Amino acid sequence: MRFFTKLLLVLFVFNTILLNAQDNPPKDPNRIIINVDLGRETISKFIYGHFAEHLGHGIYGGIYVGENSTIPNTRGIRNDVVEALKEINPAVVRWPGGCFADTYHWKDGIGPKNQRPSIVNTTWGGVTEDNSFGTHEFLDFCEQIGAEPYICVNVGSGTVQEASEWVEYVNSDAKSPMTELRKKNGRDKPWNVKFWAVGNESWGCGGNMTPDYYTDLYKRFSTYMHGRGLIKVASGGTDPDFDWTETVLKKTQKFRNLVQGYSFHYYTFCHGWNDKTSATQFNENDWFYTMKNTLVMEERLEKHIALMDEYDPQNRIGIMADEWGNWFTVEPGTNPGFLYQQNTLRDAVTAGLYLDIFNNHARRVKMANIAQFVNVLQAMILTKDGQIVKTPSFYVFKMYKVHQDATLLPVNVTCEDYSYDGMTLPSVSASASKDKEGRIHVSLTNIDPHKDKNVEIDLRGSDDLSNASGEIITAPNENDYNDFGQPEKVNIQKFSSFSIKNNILKVDLPSKSVVTIELKK
Ligand code: AHR
């Protein structure tokens, strides 16, 4: 009898183990399937976009130093910054804000510089804005770096007439007071600016409006911003405000010719808006939450996309994620209103996550603009007088430019978790594309600060892809950064810890790294 009971017990335990094993089959760690033959969507090059606001040294000192500066410049625009930015193929630049846009009266920034009024930048630091960088200078800057301009008009404190005349001044070829004024100011031909945002964060600094009120205003402004082929972008709500999105989409449904884009902003604040922490002095807890809060963006974005699919099933309105990035505390000793922060390997890793998310949602995401270009928040470039620094985030943009206008390849990622203090996150992120020459680019990010990952990538539906090369961004420490007058600590290095056989790519992906591998026949 005792023997029989024991036998039953052993059988029971064995059975339970067997059942559990069936319920939770062992995880296939770090396996990615890429369907090379199933690409449908184009990754718009405008996902690799930027944002330059009249904020701190984002424009003055950073981009524009004036013709009389000792810093080498072309019509006042820094040559060193232009040359550096060209390396990353900046596709589009949003200007003049941000919150500044809803205080900006564009006529203050045209004509002879000594006759332009000085105003107070009430949003950012209360400093004097002398308007020496205005419409002509911005469009000159875009031409110098080879980017499309994206102008945000003032809805909060401006008028419909101002917005309408700005479009006419910039884009019209017909004879009119506005085009005559443009010619008098030295520009004969129109610039043909395609992208126009109608207000910025109109729920907050752009006028504290309700979604209903904003949508009505949006329709008025958009009606009088004339021109063929314009992409007019409505302000979104806060990132979790789905009601705002639904209101704008619903109330413009019968006016689809008035709206081509919908703005979406998302920032990573480490622990939250009121608990931002330093850009360079952080511990693993801060690292984990920075990754976690970055990944939350995908969920928010997908909910907005679901609403757009409901109200715009033909996919005519693009999401313009025209502000995104890490927002930490300012560097000690700098003006809190200038939002100047350093940029470490942590920023490079989150940039990899963000760009993978945008790439993988390319069906709906038609533009994204990291905040911001120079000297503000998660910048590409930092300047100090005549010196410049290319940040770790700059190098991610340089590495990822291969995805611009390439065909998105669907990826399916299974990976180990990155665990910290009883919490977990998926450790590996990926996106892939095929360019016009048939080259495949696979980008991988490992957010785990301690463990390398062996990743096996199954490249399905392609001829033999045996010709491979790789690049990596990593550094010994999570908070390594590039500083003025010092050798760079974080930049792009050659990467060769991988092998490929029969279209199975095996990668030894280092901890805290961003990698891109190019494959061709
Ligand atoms: O990028 C800084 C500010 O963040 C922008 O001016 C505003 O739109 C957002 O809240």
Side-chain angles (χ1 to χ4, degrees):
M1 194 59 184
R2 274 183 60 200
F3 169 76
F4 190 64
T5 316
K6 267 189 188 163
L7 186 68
L8 270 180
L9 200 69
V10 168
L11 280 176
F12 173 76
V13 170
F14 183 70
N15 201 27
T16 315
I17 291 171
L18 209 70
L19 279 176
N20 268 341
Q22 277 164 1
D23 283 354
N24 305 307
K27 246 193 178 175
D28 203 2
N30 311 322
R31 185 150 199 272
I32 300 179
I33 298 169
I34 301 182
N35 291 297
V36 178
D37 55 342
L38 294 184
R40 301 275 174 274
E41 304 294 334
T42 298
I43 298 174
S44 168
K45 67 174 179 180
F46 299 118
I47 284 178
Y48 294 84
H50 300 271
F51 171 33
E53 179 166 14
H54 288 239
L55 193 179
H57 294 296
I59 302 285
Y60 299 110
I63 289 173
Y64 188 78
V65 285
E67 293 88 336
N68 300 327
S69 171
T70 52
I71 298 172
N73 67 83
T74 303
R75 293 178 294 280
I77 295 165
R78 287 179 78 129
N79 295 343
D80 52 356
V81 169
V82 167
E83 281 317 304
L85 292 177
K86 281 203 244 168
E87 281 180 51
I88 58 172
N89 278 2
V92 58
V93 189
R94 178 173 182 253
W95 173 85
C99 295
F100 180 78
D102 283 292
T103 64
Y104 185 63
H105 299 281
W106 68 272
K107 284 183 187 162
D108 290 349
I110 56 169
K113 292 201 173 146
N114 58 7
Q115 289 169 29
R116 298 185 191 177
S118 284
I119 58 158
V120 178
N121 186 334
T122 47
T123 320
W124 301 116
V127 294
T128 299
E129 159 66 60
D130 71 3
N131 278 304
S132 54
F133 189 90
T135 302
H136 290 251
E137 291 75 21
F138 169 63
L139 294 169
D140 184 11
F141 171 59
C142 288
E143 283 176 348
Q144 288 191 36
I145 61 170
E148 290 269 346
Y150 173 24
I151 294 179
C152 182
V153 307
N154 178 350
V155 172
S157 67
T159 64
V160 175
Q161 185 178 354
E162 262 179 287
S164 172
E165 288 182 344
W166 202 359
V167 177
E168 189 177 307
Y169 182 90
V170 167
N171 281 353
S172 176
D173 216 359
K175 192 170 159 52
S176 81
M178 284 304 113
T179 57
E180 289 303 301
L181 186 58
R182 181 188 74 221
K183 287 176 188 161
K184 194 172 137 220
N185 289 333
R187 174 79 184 197
D188 200 36
K189 287 274 156 240
W191 286 278
N192 294 319
V193 173
K194 194 163 62 174
F195 297 108
W196 294 86
V198 182
N200 167 73
E201 296 191 355
S202 304
W203 54 268
C205 65
N208 289 308
M209 302 177 196
T210 64
D212 278 293
Y213 180 71
Y214 170 71
T215 311
D216 290 338
L217 260 188
Y218 176 87
K219 287 192 285 184
R220 276 189 66 212
F221 271 74
S222 181
T223 302
Y224 299 101
M225 291 166 64
H226 298 290
R228 204 169 299 143
L230 297 191
I231 309 286
K232 289 182 266 187
V233 181
S235 163
T238 58
D239 63 271
D241 188 349
F242 304 105
D243 177 48
W244 181 289
T245 303
E246 194 157 13
T247 307
V248 172
L249 293 172
K250 207 188 266 179
K251 289 187 76 171
T252 55
Q253 238 176 346
K254 291 203 192 108
F255 307 91
R256 275 292 173 260
N257 59 323
L258 294 183
V259 47
Q260 288 73 37
Y262 183 74
S263 159
F264 171 84
H265 291 180
Y266 188 88
Y267 285 99
T268 300
F269 298 115
C270 195
H271 301 285
W273 173 253
N274 293 318
D275 192 4
K276 293 199 197 77
T277 74
S278 157
T280 55
Q281 305 303 308
F282 54 85
N283 55 28
E284 187 166 356
N285 188 50
D286 302 325
W287 171 278
F288 183 90
Y289 275 97
T290 303
M291 300 301 145
K292 182 176 189 298
N293 288 329
T294 298
L295 290 168
V296 165
M297 205 264 296
E298 181 161 32
E299 185 187 306
R300 298 272 161 82
L301 187 65
E302 283 178 353
K303 281 195 187 161
H304 287 286
I305 290 176
L307 274 174
M308 295 182 80
D309 287 347
E310 192 182 329
Y311 288 98
D312 173 38
Q314 284 98 2
N315 207 48
R316 290 203 183 113
I317 304 175
I319 284 194
M320 312 306 203
D322 50 19
E323 285 187 32
W324 66 267
N326 292 334
W327 191 322
F328 299 123
T329 49
V330 298
E331 286 304 301
T334 64
N335 187 328
F338 283 10
L339 309 186
Y340 175 81
Q341 64 191 41
Q342 249 298 353
N343 195 297
T344 68
L345 177 62
R346 176 174 58 163
D347 294 87
V349 170
T350 60
L353 296 181
Y354 269 104
L355 291 172
D356 284 343
I357 294 171
F358 296 137
N359 283 348
N360 289 328
H361 293 83
R363 175 179 68 83
R364 188 60 87 167
V365 178
K366 298 299 174 195
M367 188 193 284
N369 310 66
I370 187 169
Q372 298 193 3
F373 224 174
V374 182
N375 289 332
V376 177
L377 298 175
Q378 192 175 348
M380 299 289 106
I381 302 274
L382 302 176
T383 68
K384 187 158 95 186
D385 305 322
Q387 300 177 75
I388 71 166
V389 151
K390 296 171 185 169
T391 66
S393 302
F394 171 97
Y395 285 110
V396 177
F397 271 75
K398 186 169 177 177
M399 180 188 268
Y400 270 61
K401 69 182 178 183
V402 290
H403 295 299
Q404 292 189 12
D405 279 344
T407 303
L408 174 70
L409 301 179
V411 294
N412 187 304
V413 182
T414 317
C415 66
E416 291 167 292
D417 286 332
Y418 156 42
S419 310
Y420 166 75
D421 201 20
M423 301 173 285
T424 58
L425 292 173
S427 58
V428 177
S429 145
S431 65
S433 68
K434 183 177 186 170
D435 71 12
K436 297 201 172 71
E437 282 74 42
R439 291 172 299 211
I440 312 293
H441 293 102
V442 181
S443 291
L444 304 165
T445 297
N446 178 5
I447 69 169
D448 193 322
H450 308 297
K451 289 190 196 153
D452 298 357
K453 307 284 161 183
N454 291 311
V455 185
E456 187 174 295
I457 304 172
D458 184 356
L459 294 142
R460 295 188 179 165
S462 167
D463 297 341
D464 190 40
L465 293 162
S466 48
N467 194 341
S469 58
E471 292 182 333
I472 186 167
I473 298 167
T474 188
N477 306 301
E478 289 89 322
N479 64 348
D480 279 340
Y481 59 88
N482 299 332
D483 208 354
F484 298 98
Q486 306 286 326
E488 285 187 334
K489 286 188 180 163
V490 194
N491 58 20
I492 299 179
Q493 301 288 328
K494 198 169 168 325
F495 177 68
S496 49
S497 300
F498 61 84
S499 64
I500 181 152
K501 198 172 169 201
N502 299 332
N503 283 0
I504 301 291
L505 174 64
K506 290 186 178 167
V507 185
D508 185 7
L509 185 63
S511 62
K512 52 181 179 339
S513 71
V514 186
V515 160
T516 294
I517 296 175
E518 178 176 288
L519 301 146
K520 50 191 179 191
K521 285 172 201 159

